[in-house]
Amino acid sequence: MAAKIIVLFFCFVTCLLPVCCDVLCQNGFCTEHLKKAANQCRPTAPDCGYNNATRSGLRLPSPTICNCCDYCLPLYGRNDECSLGGPGDGITIGRCGHGLTCSNSTRTCVRMKTPCHDAQDQYDTRFGRNEIGAFERRPFCDEKGKYAAFECVPSQTCFCQSVEGKRLFGEVLYTGPLQNMPCGCSRFNDKVKSLIDRNVPYPVAGPACTGDGNFNPVQCLDNRCFCVNRITGRRTGSEEINLTRQPITRLSCYDKELDLFPQLSEGDPPYNMMTPCYKNIEQKKKIIEGGLRGGFIMDYFNTFDGMECLPDGSTGRIGRLVNGSKICVNERLQRIGTYIADPGTTEYNSMDCKCAVTASLMSSSTSRPICCRNGNFRRIQCHRGLCRCVDSDGRQIGKENRSVRNLDCFREINNDNWQHC
Ligand SMILES: *[C@@H]1O[C@H](CO)[C@@H](O)[C@H](O)[C@H]1NC(C)=O
Ligand SMILES: *[C@@H]1O[C@H](CO)[C@@H](O)[C@H](O)[C@H]1NC(C)=O
Ligand SMILES: *[C@@H]1O[C@H](CO)[C@@H](O)[C@H](O)[C@H]1NC(C)=O
Ligand SMILES: *[C@@H]1O[C@H](CO)[C@@H](O)[C@H](O)[C@H]1NC(C)=O
Ligand SMILES: *[C@@H]1O[C@H](CO)[C@@H](O)[C@H](O)[C@H]1NC(C)=O
């Protein structure tokens, strides 16, 4: 109990009162502190100084007062000996490196067994057999062996993905092999969605994202809006506005380019940060609540079916014409291209508009993917005389070939009319 209180207090001091510790740990404190023999730093593991293929380490804040000392956690390589006890007290005891784990039976570092590592192994096997296509990429896994935050289709786009490798909201143009996409907001929303109790009657919104999967710099809770870091989502500064009286344009972090519906911040108060999608849900909520007051119960779940908003607050990428046909739309509810699908057709049921969105992101490129009439990826894509099969996200499957007839997916389609879909 006492320990708990101390931990809580410690957190209170360090987490909530940075001012207090800044004062304690201000410039010069460590120099004075380390002068005392009892406080001298112990030698650190040398591994952080090498950082080559066989020896590396992780520099961490040392568990000493004000982090005055350096600390290096050695990371063991594959097949190196390891202990199962964790970092322990020793200064030179480390743990298995990224993607590795200590094996019970051999007490050496072995590769973690995860779906992402399995996917890498599969890729490597196919690479050995010369079966990898020109636009395929070896999956990226993180240090825990989970899928990295994003995946790219080279020369096309990159998109966010979950730790299980499921595609998530957030897509940007491909800029090269060193591209990075943190996707923190997109992943946060995915987590919120998976944690929400299924009995919560109304769709729940997570933090607002931008189209690249990052946090929108302006976040609102109830009617209070403030600024956050676009990558971490953490609040920055103490600025805050009351949406009832002030528009979000007053915030220094407001960026008109990122505001999908700037017209909502114009005119007289009260203002709101509602997108048309949220407004729709709000309206439906009112009707249902009215119904409840009137004594009849409505089926929440069917009512809100397919009404969920995307993490950027937009309605999704499929729109509907008054006559019932589906079309592709962008985040500002503007139609993309002339993609269309009429009710009662298979194209209507399978419509996802993924190709339409990718092609519109690539509007200034000359190597845009070919989309079907309903905005889905055409199964066969050709580039400079070589054709390849792609999945519904436009990722290449298998090796390319000069003749479509040699492609596996052509055999599935088995139709000389493959160019039209
Ligand atoms: C890494 O550095 C260590 C220590 O200097 C050295 O023994 C080892 O051979 C190096 N490994 C490589 C691959 O350079
Ligand atoms: C390793 O040991 C732990 C505890 O003894 C056990 O729960 C776990 O299943 C073991 N793992 C393997 C791969 O043997
Ligand atoms: C915002 O302003 C309105 C109107 O002045 C006020 O009623 C409300 O309490 C304020 N909200 C906050 C969170 O300050
Ligand atoms: C709906 O209207 C669009 C254009 O206005 C048209 O192309 C499409 O065929 C119509 N769909 C149906 C089912 O009539
Ligand atoms: C195309 O496929 C055929 C049959 O599988 C194969 O013999 C040929 O080498 C492939 N050509 C290219 C350019 O990959």
Side-chain angles (χ1 to χ4, degrees), residues 1-15:
M1 191 63 199
K4 228 181 218 167
I5 290 171
I6 289 169
V7 168
L8 274 177
F9 177 72
F10 185 72
C11 185
F12 180 68
V13 170
T14 55
C15 311

Side-chain angles (χ1 to χ4, degrees), residues 223-224 240 242-245:
N223 268 333
R224 298 177 304 111
E240 183 172 308
N242 181 338
L243 208 49
T244 318
R245 287 178 273 119

